[in-house]
Amino acid sequence: MIDRLLGALPLAYPDAVVVVGTAALGFVAGALGPFVVLRGRAMFGDAMSHATLPGVAIAFLVAGAKEPGTLLAGAAVAALLAALLLIALVRSARIATDAAIGVVLSLSLTLGLVLLTHIASTGDSQQAGLDAYLLGQAAGMVERDIALTLTLGALALTAVVVWFRLLRAASFDPGFSAIIGARPWLVDAASTGLLAVAIVLGVRTVGAILMVALLVAPCVAARQLVTTLAALVPLAGVIGAGAGVAGGVLSGHAELPAGPVIVLLATGAAVLSVVFAPRRGVLARRRRGLAREPGAAAGPPQGVLR
């Protein structure tokens, strides 16, 4: 199936692999992003993303080989440990959330750089390319990466569909989700797991530093255009996929790194949406403000998400 899809594209095989892979990643990250943004966990995700770097390095040191599955498993474990550490610092040590995120993020990045430097100094030829997990290397994608993204992404999105009502309640009213019998720790675990899936899938393509932008930017762009979470999730996915496709094509023609190009395009879409969205954009709000007569009562809020 993947072979036929790649063959149907009017692109060289390596470019087709990058475009399909980044499109799949962009859709998964974009669709999962609203559950990060609406719960105010963007920087939480950033800390988890940075934690994948030492996870990859430690997995390489333990396995002694650059096997993608092992490295991604190490990244997933490290991301989840970072999430647990953040929760412990905030709830048990009573450290402010932003301070806890700063501690975990800086610790993760520093540890990752130290470990990568140590690995590079050993002269092991197997370590070549590990630094790509810092900023991503979409050009190194193969069909197995596409299959992994599609499989894990499908599982994550299926979980979103099955538990959509619960995730929506937790995003807008955590107190209500507790009243209806949903245990807060279970909801937190589910949302953190979904976040970990998106981060682990994207860390090799977009990189540990930029991955959070691919979660946030499509959501910001879509948020200006729709008024329901049920519409926000797929639209953010489509915007993320579009950025992935355009970034994959442009990076191949211009010989630029795909990850940063994809993030720039997604961010550009967010900026355009914030400014030009027909109902919630800056210009639309400005026009309504000028058209409103002095002393007239303000109308209902435009585009309140529900």
Side-chain angles (χ1 to χ4, degrees), residues 79-303:
L80 292 174
L81 287 176
L84 292 175
L85 179 57
L86 277 169
I87 293 171
L89 289 174
V90 173
R91 293 185 179 178
S92 300
R94 298 188 180 279
I95 296 176
T97 302
D98 59 342
I101 290 174
V103 168
V104 174
L105 190 152
S106 57
L107 174 64
S108 300
L109 183 58
T110 302
L111 179 59
L113 292 175
V114 168
L115 289 173
L116 288 180
T117 302
H118 166 70
I119 292 171
S121 68
T122 63
D124 187 349
S125 60
Q126 288 284 331
Q127 59 83 32
L130 281 181
D131 56 346
Y133 285 86
L134 187 62
L135 292 174
Q137 188 178 36
M141 295 184 75
V142 295
E143 286 188 34
R144 179 173 55 183
D145 297 321
I146 298 176
L148 179 64
T149 301
L150 291 175
T151 301
L152 292 182
L155 291 174
L157 295 176
T158 299
V160 168
V161 173
V162 172
W163 292 305
F164 181 77
R165 291 178 181 271
L166 182 59
L167 291 170
R168 180 175 60 184
S171 298
F172 296 115
D173 191 355
F176 176 74
S177 62
I179 291 173
I180 62 176
R183 297 180 180 179
W185 68 267
L186 189 58
V187 176
D188 279 344
S191 59
T192 301
L194 293 175
L195 177 57
V197 168
I199 288 172
V200 169
L201 288 177
V203 68
R204 185 167 176 233
T205 304
V206 179
I209 292 179
L210 298 176
M211 184 55 210
V212 70
L214 194 56
L215 289 165
V216 174
C219 176
V220 172
R223 174 67 184 88
Q224 312 305 311
L225 304 173
V226 297
T227 59
T228 65
L229 184 60
L232 175 63
V233 171
L235 180 57
V238 169
I239 292 173
V245 170
V249 172
L250 288 176
S251 63
H253 286 295
E255 297 184 356
L256 295 171
V261 173
I262 292 169
V263 169
L264 283 174
L265 290 173
T267 305
V271 172
L272 290 175
S273 183
V274 168
V275 175
F276 296 107
R279 294 185 64 192
R280 303 187 73 242
V282 173
L283 294 182
R285 293 189 180 200
R286 179 63 176 166
R287 284 194 298 269
R288 287 198 300 272
L290 292 175
R292 187 179 300 137
E293 295 181 1
Q302 296 291 324

Side-chain angles (χ1 to χ4, degrees), residues 62-78:
V62 171
K66 197 177 61 179
E67 206 285 315
T70 303
L71 299 184
L72 290 181
V77 171

